[in-house]
Amino acid sequence: TEDVITQFVFQEKTKKFAYPDPELQLIFIELPKFKKDLSELTSLSDRWIYFIKEAVTLQEIPEKLGEVSEIELALNIANQANMTVEELESVERRAMILQDERGRLTYAIEQGREQGREQGRITEAIALVMRLLKKRFGEISEVITSQIENLSVQNLENLAEDLLDFNSLSDLERWLERRYVG
């Protein structure tokens, strides 16, 4: 046959009935029959067959093949098969360094998220305390606002509870003088 790909299914030899699992079959790819250039590749099968046929000569994955991420992995494996022990060790060291770097980046991203969440908590706590104070006492001076904005989350939570006991802004000022951590 002129086909590049041929598929054979199993059949019982004497009684000629087909094997019950149609997924089990033999597929042959005849590489010498595959004549397509890189620009002619249209299907996933075409890309893989081209890669298998040309893997020995490829130094890097052409863009058309790069659309299939597994092909790049296959090229890396194929390239490693021809490496010396020293080259393989070097590749493994680089892979470990890259993995370490990924770990550091993941940790830094998580730390950044955690800091962002903490900053969000502080911002929300400041906004809540300021709304409660304005509702209770009217406008709050810039000096007091600045002091409140520099409180820790714990002190902001304490202030939110204690402000219910304040009778005037002077009570707030005394509280800030005792607890201010600016």
Side-chain angles (χ1 to χ4, degrees):
T1 165
E2 295 178 14
D3 296 336
V4 174
I5 300 173
T6 50
Q7 299 180 29
F8 295 89
V9 293
F10 290 101
Q11 173 180 304
E12 203 283 327
K13 189 172 183 175
T14 56
K15 298 201 175 155
K16 308 286 185 207
F17 61 87
Y19 186 77
D21 185 356
E23 296 293 316
L24 187 59
Q25 54 183 299
L26 297 174
I27 300 173
F28 292 90
I29 301 172
E30 298 180 70
L31 295 178
K33 292 181 181 179
F34 188 79
K35 306 289 186 200
K36 291 185 179 181
D37 290 326
L38 189 60
S39 62
E40 298 174 294
L41 306 179
T42 56
S43 68
L44 182 60
S45 297
D46 286 350
R47 288 180 174 92
W48 274 108
I49 295 169
Y50 181 88
F51 168 74
I52 291 168
K53 187 174 181 182
E54 302 297 330
V56 177
T57 61
L58 293 176
Q59 296 302 313
E60 59 183 44
I61 297 294
E63 187 176 324
K64 186 117 180 169
L65 296 181
E67 296 167 0
V68 182
S69 61
E70 292 84 358
I71 290 179
E72 186 169 358
L73 178 61
L75 179 62
N76 290 336
I77 292 169
N79 286 338
Q80 287 179 7
N82 293 324
M83 290 183 181
T84 65
V85 172
E86 293 81 17
E87 290 171 327
L88 282 171
E89 287 173 354
S90 176
V91 166
E92 287 175 12
R93 279 193 302 276
R94 282 194 307 255
M96 283 190 280
I97 290 168
L98 286 173
Q99 184 62 34
D100 289 347
E101 189 60 29
R102 277 190 216 105
R104 280 193 287 278
L105 286 172
T106 300
Y107 177 76
I109 288 169
E110 186 54 39
Q111 288 300 104
R113 285 183 183 145
E114 184 61 35
Q115 288 174 353
R117 284 189 287 267
E118 181 67 16
Q119 188 59 46
R121 259 184 87 203
I122 291 171
T123 301
E124 288 175 5
I126 290 169
L128 174 64
V129 166
M130 292 306 296
R131 278 195 315 269
L132 292 172
L133 287 170
K134 286 178 184 176
K135 185 166 183 139
R136 179 118 189 209
F137 302 115
E139 279 306 307
I140 308 298
S141 74
E142 285 295 318
V143 172
I144 292 175
T145 300
S146 177
Q147 289 176 329
I148 291 171
E149 288 173 347
N150 287 310
L151 291 173
S152 67
V153 172
Q154 183 62 50
N155 278 333
L156 285 166
E157 290 171 355
N158 292 341
L159 176 56
E161 290 176 14
D162 291 349
L163 73 85
L164 297 173
D165 299 328
F166 297 163
N167 293 318
S168 67
L169 279 176
S170 59
D171 291 339
L172 172 61
E173 290 170 343
R174 280 192 295 281
W175 187 95
L176 286 170
E177 286 173 11
R178 289 193 312 268
R179 302 251 167 68
Y180 183 69
V181 289

